[in-house]
């Protein structure tokens, strides 16, 4: 078991430099009002990741420093987490430190390694349960009471709660998507109509890739057919001659004559022979071009009907490119993307149907799981209340009765609730239950919320009883109670001390108290004293034994250390405590 052995506190509040030595069992921290007892709680809070308040730094100091030494066993959750953070455990001791500067900066170290403050916070649940006036006020809130009940119930609530939480998260996601689809239904329908119209236009024209470019070339050719035919005929006549002009000179005849004149003498000079060959090539080329010109002229058809059809088709394609793309290739790409988007939009109705069915199924599942949570909490509440009631009997409240009210709020309509016990009720991430701890302090009294039904002393004892019950079901190594006995006195105070001593048999218990009846039951009593200048120094936190302890208890009883009556009462308290032990 982990044990908090020692804390060194420097420049924190009224404490200049002090060492608080603790031990297993029950340790009581006492001292006059304002002596700095609460700084013990504050120091431990800093070690466990509490908020760093620069106002805590002692006036004139640059920083407040708190160091703690905790003994841990191999495999303890605290030891495992420290090693994960890179900290070292030496001789079974884990060193934690926290520094708060006067400017508000904060640093944390765990096992000699600098760590984020959040790592210390993670250790808190494994190491120490701090219970004081602030925590007590927190437990008065119904939400905290539900959390406390769930913590006490353990797996009975944790298992259905985990399933419920998963279904709840999925339902939130489904509802969000469904709301988006339904609220944007008009916009999506309009988009689908526009896409459908555009795709129908493109489908009606049935354009082919590159068709607009080909038709533009054909239109240009058909529009100038007569000029093209005349030019081709004239060129053909110039190359191959005009049959109707027997005396005309043509290029083919002239080049052929030039070739023949060179052929006669080419054998005498290779250079001239090469030129003759080139003339021969020209003759062949002229013949080919003349033949193609003749074929072109024959095929060219100045068909006005074809030109009209081409222009009409081009107009249809231009209507598409004005709306859907720079050219037909772009139009076809738009059509492909539009068809895919339309399929998606047209599938919204199916998606809405699927999501609606899933939403209804999840709400039905939450109803079942919510009922399981309610049943589990109801069963655990009876056990929890009985255990706390039994503890109250040990704390001089034998007639008090604690109970839980577990209820649900009606949903304004069926769609916003889940079915619990045949009613449509509001629900949240932790179920549909509203949990409130009730107290009937004496027979005949109506159970009332503990915030209203308990006096200050009764409330302190109820909170102590709750903590003791938790110690049996969800124990932690160390319990720190800060003035939890406020408002308690006389016989009730003795019972509080006796109960704390009993709790200390299975855990380390540290109590900051002003009651001698409580302090007398401690295994060790620490006295916090100020020096003349109002500070607490290293010698200001001392372990009281023998006569010194009797004197401190006498002071706590009567305000006078040397009062014989107070001394006798103090010795009686110690004797009673030892007899119980």
């Amino acid at each position: 078991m982990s044990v908090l052995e020692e804390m060194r506190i420097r420049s924190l509040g009224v404490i200049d430099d002090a060492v608080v030595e603790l031990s297993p069992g029950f340790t009581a921290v006492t001292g006059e009002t304002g002596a700095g007892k609460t700084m013990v709680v504050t120091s431990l809070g800093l070690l466990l990741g509490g908020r760093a308040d620069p106002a805590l730094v002692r006036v004139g100091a640059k920083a407040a420093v708190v160091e703690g030494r905790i003994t841990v066993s191999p495999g303890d959750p605290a030891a495992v987490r420290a090693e994960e953070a890179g900290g070292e455990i030496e001789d079974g001791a884990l060193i934690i430190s926290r520094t708060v500067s006067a400017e508000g900066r904060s640093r944390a170290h765990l096992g000699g390694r600098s760590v984020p403050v959040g790592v210390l916070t993670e250790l808190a649940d494994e190491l120490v349960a701090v219970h004081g006036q602030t925590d007590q006020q927190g437990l008065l809130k119904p939400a905290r009471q539900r959390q406390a009940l769930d913590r006490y119930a353990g797996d009975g609530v944790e298992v259905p709660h985990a399933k419920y939480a998963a279904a709840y998260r999925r339902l939130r996601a489904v509802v969000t998507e469904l709301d988006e689809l339904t609220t944007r239904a008009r916009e999506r329908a309009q988009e689908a109509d526009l896409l459908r119209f555009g795709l129908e236009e493109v489908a009606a024209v049935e354009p082919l890739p590159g068709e607009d470019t080909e038709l533009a070339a054909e239109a240009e050719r058909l529009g100038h057919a007569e000029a093209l035919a005349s030019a081709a005929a004239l060129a053909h006549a110039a190359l191959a001659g005009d049959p109707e002009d027997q005396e005309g000179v043509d290029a083919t005849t002239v080049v052929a004559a030039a070739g023949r004149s060179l052929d006669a003498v080419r054998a005498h000079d290779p250079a001239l022979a090469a030129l003759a060959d080139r003339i021969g090539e020209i003759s062949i080329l002229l013949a080919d071009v003349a033949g193609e010109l003749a074929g072109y002229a024959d095929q060219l058809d100045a068909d006005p009907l074809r030109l009209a059809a081409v222009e009409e088709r081009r107009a249809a394609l231009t209507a598409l490119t004005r709306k859907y793309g720079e050219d037909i290739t772009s139009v076809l790409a738009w059509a492909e993307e539009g068809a895919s988007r339309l399929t998606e939009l047209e599938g919204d109705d199916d998606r809405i149907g699927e999501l609606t069915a899933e939403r209804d199924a999840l709400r039905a599942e939450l109803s079942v799981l919510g009922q399981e949570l309610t049943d589990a909490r109801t069963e655990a509440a009876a056990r929890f209340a009985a255990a706390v009631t039994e503890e109250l009997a040990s704390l001089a409240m034998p007639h008090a009765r604690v109970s839980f009210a577990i209820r649900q709020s009606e949903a304004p309509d069926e769609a916003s609730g889940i079915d619990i016990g045949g009613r449509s009720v509001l629900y949240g991430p932790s179920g549909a239950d509203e949990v409130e701890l009730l107290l009937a302090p004496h027979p005949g009294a109506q159970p009332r919320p503990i915030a209203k039904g308990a006096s200050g002393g009764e409330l302190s004892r109820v909170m102590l009883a709750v903590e003791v019950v938790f110690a049996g079901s969800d124990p932690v190594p160390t319990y720190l109670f800060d003035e939890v006995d406020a408002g308690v006195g006389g016989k009730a105070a003795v019972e509080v001390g006796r109960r704390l001593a009993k709790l200390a048999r299975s855990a380390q218990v540290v109590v900051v108290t002003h009651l001698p009846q409580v302090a007398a039951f401690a295994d060790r009593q620490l006295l916090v004293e100020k020096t003349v200048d109002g500070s607490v120094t290293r010698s200001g936190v001392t372990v009281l034994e023998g006569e010194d302890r009797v004197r401190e208890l006498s002071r706590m009883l009567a305000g006078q250390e040397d009062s014989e009556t107070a001394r006798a009462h103090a010795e009686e308290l110690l004797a009673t405590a030892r007899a119980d032990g």
Side-chain angles (χ1 to χ4, degrees):
M1 182 181 73
S2 301
V3 175
L4 179 62
E5 286 190 335
E6 181 181 280
M7 284 196 302
R8 184 177 182 184
I9 309 167
R10 286 178 288 175
S11 302
L12 184 70
V14 299
I15 297 180
D16 179 22
D17 188 348
V19 175
V20 180
E21 296 182 359
L22 302 171
S23 65
F26 181 4
T27 300
V29 181
T30 64
E32 293 185 357
T33 301
K37 300 187 301 297
T38 301
M39 286 298 104
V40 174
V41 180
T42 302
S43 299
L44 188 56
L46 286 173
L47 284 181
L48 299 176
R51 187 175 68 88
D53 185 354
L56 295 172
V57 180
R58 184 170 172 76
V59 176
K62 294 182 179 180
V65 180
V66 181
E67 295 177 346
R69 185 174 73 243
I70 298 174
T71 59
V72 294
S73 302
D76 277 357
V80 172
R81 185 64 187 93
E83 290 170 348
E84 289 176 349
E88 295 183 359
I89 299 173
E90 296 182 1
D91 299 326
L94 176 62
I95 306 300
I96 304 175
S97 70
R98 182 83 180 276
T99 303
V100 181
S101 72
E103 292 79 22
R105 293 188 300 274
S106 172
R107 296 196 308 274
H109 289 80
L110 179 65
R113 176 64 63 88
S114 178
V115 296
V117 173
V119 174
L120 302 188
T121 305
E122 293 175 17
L123 290 179
D125 291 339
E126 305 293 346
L127 292 173
V128 180
V130 180
H131 200 74
Q133 296 297 308
T134 301
D135 308 275
Q136 183 168 295
Q137 294 300 317
L139 198 54
L140 297 181
K141 299 176 182 178
R144 287 284 299 276
Q145 293 172 11
R146 190 201 67 240
Q147 293 170 4
L149 177 59
D150 289 354
R151 173 183 156 197
Y152 174 83
D155 289 345
V157 166
E158 184 178 346
V159 172
H161 186 273
K163 295 179 182 177
Y164 177 96
Y168 181 85
R169 289 192 297 270
R170 176 56 189 162
L171 177 61
R172 292 297 92 201
V174 167
V175 168
T176 298
E177 185 178 355
L178 191 56
D179 287 346
E180 181 183 356
L181 288 177
T182 53
T183 54
R184 292 186 57 202
R186 179 178 300 176
E187 297 175 15
R188 298 168 81 91
Q190 291 173 346
E191 183 184 356
D193 284 344
L194 289 173
L195 284 172
R196 198 174 292 111
F197 177 79
L199 291 171
E200 289 173 355
E201 274 195 313
V202 174
V205 174
E206 295 184 345
L208 299 174
E211 184 182 3
D212 50 341
T213 302
E214 295 175 1
L215 289 176
E218 185 177 358
E220 184 72 13
R221 186 170 62 253
L222 290 172
H224 299 82
E226 292 184 0
L228 292 172
S230 175
L234 289 174
H236 180 269
L239 294 177
D242 185 351
E244 296 180 359
D245 184 4
Q246 297 297 326
E247 296 181 358
V249 179
D250 59 79
T252 301
T253 302
V254 172
V255 171
R260 286 194 299 272
S261 64
L262 294 180
D263 284 341
V265 294
R266 64 181 296 162
H268 304 298
D269 187 351
L272 191 62
L275 292 174
D277 291 340
R278 292 172 64 185
I279 290 176
E281 293 171 0
I282 293 173
S283 294
I284 295 171
L285 182 59
L286 287 175
D288 289 342
V289 172
E292 289 182 15
L293 284 172
Y296 175 83
D298 291 339
Q299 293 174 1
L300 192 62
D301 185 9
D303 184 353
L305 293 178
R306 175 56 187 168
L307 178 60
V310 168
E311 294 296 352
E312 182 179 355
R313 178 65 177 174
R314 290 185 69 203
L317 296 178
T318 300
L320 296 181
T321 56
R322 277 201 303 264
K323 295 180 180 180
Y324 308 116
E326 296 181 355
D327 51 33
I328 291 301
T329 299
S330 300
V331 169
L332 291 172
W334 174 88
E336 184 177 356
E337 294 175 2
S340 176
R341 175 61 175 163
L342 182 60
T343 299
E344 178 184 335
L345 292 172
E346 289 177 339
D348 280 353
D349 290 342
D350 294 338
R351 182 60 178 157
I352 288 174
E354 293 172 1
L355 290 172
T356 301
E358 185 177 4
R359 179 199 63 191
D360 295 342
L362 285 167
R363 286 182 54 205
E365 182 181 359
L366 286 178
S367 294
V368 173
L369 293 171
Q371 185 67 62
E372 289 183 21
L373 274 175
T374 298
D375 294 343
R377 284 174 176 146
T378 301
E379 186 275 332
R383 290 188 289 110
F384 193 5
V388 173
T389 298
E390 184 178 350
E391 288 298 329
L392 289 177
S394 301
L395 295 171
M397 293 178 65
H399 304 297
R401 293 291 179 271
V402 168
S403 60
F404 277 96
I406 299 178
R407 49 183 172 264
Q408 301 82 30
S409 296
E410 295 281 349
D413 52 71
E414 187 174 348
S416 60
I418 59 175
D419 183 21
I420 301 290
R423 298 182 301 136
S424 180
V425 299
L426 295 175
Y427 64 102
S430 294
D433 301 320
E434 300 169 11
V435 176
E436 193 164 32
L437 187 61
L438 307 178
L439 173 69
H442 53 79
Q446 289 296 318
R448 300 182 64 194
I450 57 174
K452 301 176 181 178
S455 65
E458 289 171 339
L459 184 57
S460 295
R461 280 177 280 172
V462 171
M463 293 299 101
L464 175 56
V466 167
E467 200 63 65
V468 169
V469 170
F470 276 146
S473 62
D474 187 17
V476 293
T478 301
Y479 292 87
L480 177 62
F481 295 93
D482 178 23
E483 302 283 2
V484 75
D485 48 19
V488 178
K491 182 180 178 181
V494 173
E495 296 301 332
V496 169
R498 183 175 284 120
R499 201 68 193 88
L500 288 168
K502 185 177 180 181
L503 177 61
R505 295 173 189 170
S506 59
Q508 182 183 30
V509 176
V510 181
V511 179
V512 178
T513 182
H514 66 283
L515 291 180
Q517 296 94 329
V518 172
F521 280 87
D523 300 309
R524 168 181 285 198
Q525 184 171 348
L526 300 180
L527 174 63
V528 180
E529 290 182 298
K530 289 183 179 179
T531 59
V532 177
D533 66 0
S535 67
V536 177
T537 63
R538 180 179 291 272
S539 61
V541 181
T542 56
V543 179
L544 298 179
E545 296 178 349
E547 180 63 23
D548 291 337
R549 188 172 185 188
V550 172
R551 285 175 59 82
E552 171 64 7
L553 290 175
S554 299
R555 182 200 63 76
M556 296 172 71
L557 280 163
Q560 299 175 356
E561 295 91 334
D562 298 323
S563 166
E564 290 299 325
T565 302
R567 285 178 58 82
H569 192 182
E571 291 172 347
E572 182 182 355
L573 281 175
L574 286 170
T576 301
R578 292 191 186 101
D580 283 1

